[in-house]
Amino acid sequence: MDWRTFAQEMASLARDLLAQESVNDTLKRITSSAIELVEGCDAAGILVLRGGRVHSLAPTEQLVVDSDRLQERVGEGPCFDAARTSEGARQFRIADFTAEARRWPRYVPEARALGLGSMMGILLFTEDEDLGALDFYSRRPGAFTEASETAGWLLASHAAVAFSSARTQAQLEEAIGTRHIVGEAMGILMGSHRLTEDQAFAALRRHSQDHNVKLRDVARQVCERGGLP
């Protein structure tokens, strides 16, 4: 591992991640960079747990999705553990899938049948939240060395900040968009039904609750139809 070259590539990646236009683009850049920057990595993805269910984000190939689904089904595995661990170890590695499975005994044999030789799982986290696990896969046993693990940890550190930042920006943009369309819908109701601002908002909120439809979607319908559906 040429750490000077790696540092230069990481610096370039940090700028590139901030330039991505969406959360999905950011995640795809992270996983593609795992293959480019981490020695031995053949495939990569981000595993996220939501309500006990596994979601595969930006997988570079189907092998990643198959491994994530397997970990969910058997309830164990390095990336599954990393994604649900808030304390203790935040980095896991299976050096050789052909060796005896002392840890994750249900996952390892079936993962071996998928064609996996070795893998790593590293938690994506910031000071405020845990975001999931960045997972690295190789078809070759013993592909990941201590240097690979260090490189993976450094990439995951940059990735977590970029992921969190992109998601916050997307949430802000959605909030601004929601505020704009709700305001437009309120104006329509105020003009057509001679309602006050508070009455117009209450009408939107009541329709949203009564029909189990998001407030933004109700507002969009009002804008499209000129009134409540």
Side-chain angles (χ1 to χ4, degrees):
M1 175 68 73
D2 183 344
W3 290 110
R4 181 179 179 84
T5 300
F6 179 82
Q8 293 172 341
E9 291 174 337
M10 285 297 296
S12 177
L13 174 63
R15 292 188 292 269
D16 191 26
L17 288 174
L18 291 176
Q20 300 303 307
E21 295 184 356
S22 68
V23 174
N24 192 47
D25 288 342
T26 300
L27 298 182
K28 286 182 177 179
R29 188 68 187 95
I30 290 169
T31 54
S32 65
S33 296
I35 299 174
E36 297 167 5
L37 298 176
V38 178
E39 186 175 346
C41 183
D42 295 324
I46 295 171
L47 183 152
V48 175
L49 285 175
R50 294 173 182 160
R53 297 297 303 274
V54 165
H55 297 265
S56 302
L57 306 183
T60 60
E61 60 177 88
Q62 184 61 35
L63 175 66
V64 176
V65 178
D66 292 341
S67 173
D68 289 348
R69 289 175 178 171
L70 172 58
Q71 291 184 74
E72 178 184 48
R73 179 165 59 82
V74 300
E76 64 177 38
C79 302
F80 188 85
D81 285 1
R84 66 181 178 183
T85 299
S86 59
E87 297 180 357
R90 293 181 168 182
Q91 192 163 314
F92 302 89
R93 176 159 49 125
I94 297 178
D96 186 352
F97 275 92
T98 64
E100 181 182 355
R102 295 184 178 179
R103 188 172 186 181
W104 308 300
R106 291 186 294 171
Y107 169 71
V108 171
E110 293 194 50
R112 184 189 307 134
L114 294 176
L116 290 177
S118 51
M119 68 179 296
M120 298 188 298
I122 300 176
L123 183 68
L124 296 173
F125 68 96
T126 65
E127 290 186 358
D128 301 320
E129 58 183 338
D130 295 338
L131 303 165
L134 176 59
D135 34 346
F136 307 81
Y137 295 90
S138 176
R139 293 180 173 84
R140 179 171 59 86
F144 298 118
T145 63
E146 290 187 8
S148 299
E149 198 166 286
T150 300
W153 179 81
L154 289 169
L155 173 58
S157 298
H158 280 73
V161 174
F163 184 5
S164 179
S165 177
R167 193 172 64 174
T168 298
Q169 180 64 26
Q171 290 170 342
L172 178 60
E173 290 175 357
E174 181 179 2
I176 292 173
T178 297
R179 181 176 180 180
H180 174 77
I181 198 167
V182 168
E184 187 175 343
M186 288 171 57
I188 291 173
L189 294 180
M190 290 166 67
S192 61
H193 298 284
R194 296 183 179 180
L195 301 178
T196 66
E197 184 175 325
D198 289 343
Q199 288 171 334
F201 182 75
L204 289 173
R205 184 174 59 184
R206 184 166 55 250
H207 189 90
S208 171
Q209 294 172 343
D210 290 346
H211 295 81
N212 195 28
V213 178
K214 291 182 178 180
L215 182 64
R216 179 172 181 168
D217 293 336
V218 173
R220 183 180 294 109
Q221 293 172 1
V222 170
C223 294
E224 292 172 351
R225 303 179 184 183
L228 286 168

